[in-house]
Amino acid sequence: MLRVVVLGAAAGGGVPQWNCGCAVCRKARGEHPELQSTQASIAVSADGAHWFLVNASPDLRQQLIATPQLHPRAGRLRHSPIAGVILTNGEIDAVAGLLSMREGSPFTIYAHAKVLAILKANSIFNVLGENNVRRQPIEVDRPFELRLPDGSESGIEILPFTVPGKRAWYLEGKAHPGGGDGTGDTLGLRIEDRTTGKYCYFLAACAEVTDALKARLSGAPLVFFDGTVWRDDEMISAGLGAKTGQSMGHIAMSGDQGAIASLAGLDIDRKIFLHINNSNPALLRGSKERSIAEGAGWQIPADGTEIVL
Ligand SMILES: [Zn+2]
């Protein structure tokens, strides 16, 4: 069985964001605490005992406290069920949580060479000593099996693939420590239980749904997909910032070229939005946008949602 726990569903900043007074953030602080959401990450396991994180968000500590599956096993003085972390990009909301995993437990970081170069260029990540925390490069279109700390097989195979996207925003206009073009800066993942053949896709950032991506996702049992903004210009029109979704490498939920329209009719069993920005009105239950998304078969998950395939 492939188990997936949504540790967090929000985009960078979370809900509420520390410095934001938008309608969603105000409600999340006040009469609607159920709107609160931590920054996007999932945990996956094939055996229920060993878990792998997809991205390590700045909210990781809070997410681990809230997730019993990820607590140290009873009777062990030092232990973590987390055997590894797969990074899909080098954004702060994908890597900052690594710094909360610095107390000496062994695990493996799986990431594209571009993202590993970012970690290497930032010496603060040296707190994760390479004798305990292996850094394993992964390659686009090359499947690999996740390993447990003792080297044995986890039963989970990952296929990383390139997704239209952007480099981390703090690297915009700067030399990338990993050099080269944009390849490897944004990955999607196909995550498969090798015993059962069940699988899901994880795309927390995606700037465009190409025909090739449609073909890939067609017929999937479960897809987690970029739900950052409802409308491309919503942050500008709400007065929250100058960036469009596209300029941040994120497709909108709505519109002819949006995620809802693009992924319609692909025979995907379960579609879940992740990485949802606090400006997105689809977060609000009862909103017109929420009912359009749900009416099209999409789910906006609460943190802690567990799915078993
Ligand atoms: Zn807000």
Side-chain angles (χ1 to χ4, degrees):
M1 282 188 298
L2 184 64
R3 294 174 184 275
V4 185
V5 177
V6 177
L7 300 180
V15 185
Q17 178 177 312
W18 72 286
N19 62 347
C20 190
C22 79
V24 173
C25 289
R26 284 201 318 272
K27 286 190 168 72
R29 285 188 199 97
E31 71 270 33
H32 289 291
E34 74 280 1
L35 286 169
Q36 293 181 12
S37 181
T38 59
Q39 294 165 83
S41 173
I42 63 171
V44 299
S45 176
D47 62 8
H50 303 91
W51 290 82
F52 295 84
L53 309 182
V54 179
N55 295 332
S57 98
D59 299 318
L60 183 63
R61 179 177 174 278
Q62 178 185 347
Q63 293 168 340
L64 298 189
I65 292 169
T67 310
Q69 297 93 322
L70 302 179
H71 293 175
R73 196 165 301 143
R76 299 281 299 275
L77 197 51
R78 283 290 171 98
H79 171 261
S80 171
I82 300 173
V85 182
I86 309 123
L87 303 175
T88 62
N89 62 69
E91 292 283 8
I92 290 165
D93 54 355
V95 305
L98 291 171
L99 299 173
S100 298
M101 300 176 72
R102 66 187 178 280
E103 280 87 6
S105 283
F107 67 97
T108 302
I109 298 170
Y110 300 88
H112 192 275
K114 297 283 293 282
V115 175
L116 290 180
I118 293 173
L119 300 185
K120 196 172 175 106
N122 287 274
S123 57
I124 194 168
F125 289 103
N126 292 344
V127 293
L128 302 168
E130 296 200 34
N131 50 337
N132 262 339
V133 182
R134 285 197 324 119
R135 299 183 186 187
Q136 174 81 43
I138 63 177
E139 290 176 42
V140 167
D141 298 328
R142 180 169 293 189
F144 65 95
E145 176 145 3
L146 297 169
R147 299 272 170 174
L148 305 184
D150 67 3
S152 59
E153 296 180 341
S154 69
I156 299 176
E157 183 176 277
I158 303 286
L159 172 64
F161 54 92
T162 298
V163 173
K166 279 267 162 59
R167 58 170 56 186
W169 67 263
Y170 57 85
L171 289 173
E172 280 175 16
K174 299 191 171 65
H176 195 302
D181 57 13
T183 308
D185 273 320
T186 306
L187 298 181
L189 302 178
R190 184 183 190 276
I191 303 166
E192 179 180 327
D193 180 328
R194 293 190 68 179
T195 306
T196 64
K198 297 282 187 181
Y199 63 96
C200 68
Y201 281 99
F202 178 93
L203 298 97
C206 181
E208 182 193 358
V209 179
T210 61
D211 287 342
L213 182 57
K214 284 184 189 177
R216 191 189 286 279
L217 301 183
S218 180
L222 170 64
V223 173
F224 293 98
F225 199 81
D226 185 347
T228 308
V229 290
W230 176 257
R231 258 176 46 181
D232 189 50
D233 64 350
E234 83 188 20
M235 291 188 60
I236 297 170
S237 60
L240 294 171
K243 290 190 172 180
T244 62
Q246 279 295 316
S247 74
M248 298 184 289
H250 297 291
I251 191 173
M253 288 185 180
S254 66
D256 293 347
Q257 308 295 319
I260 292 173
S262 299
L263 271 62
L266 296 184
D267 193 29
I268 299 167
D269 280 353
R270 196 161 177 185
K271 295 179 279 194
I272 300 181
F273 278 124
L274 265 193
H275 198 269
I276 307 162
N277 197 53
N278 54 72
S279 60
N280 191 326
L283 283 170
L284 295 171
R285 294 197 181 101
S287 69
K288 174 177 60 106
E289 293 83 359
R290 176 68 159 246
S291 48
I292 292 170
E294 291 180 344
W298 286 85
Q299 185 183 349
I300 292 174
D303 291 7
T305 298
E306 181 167 10
I307 299 144
V308 180
L309 292 177

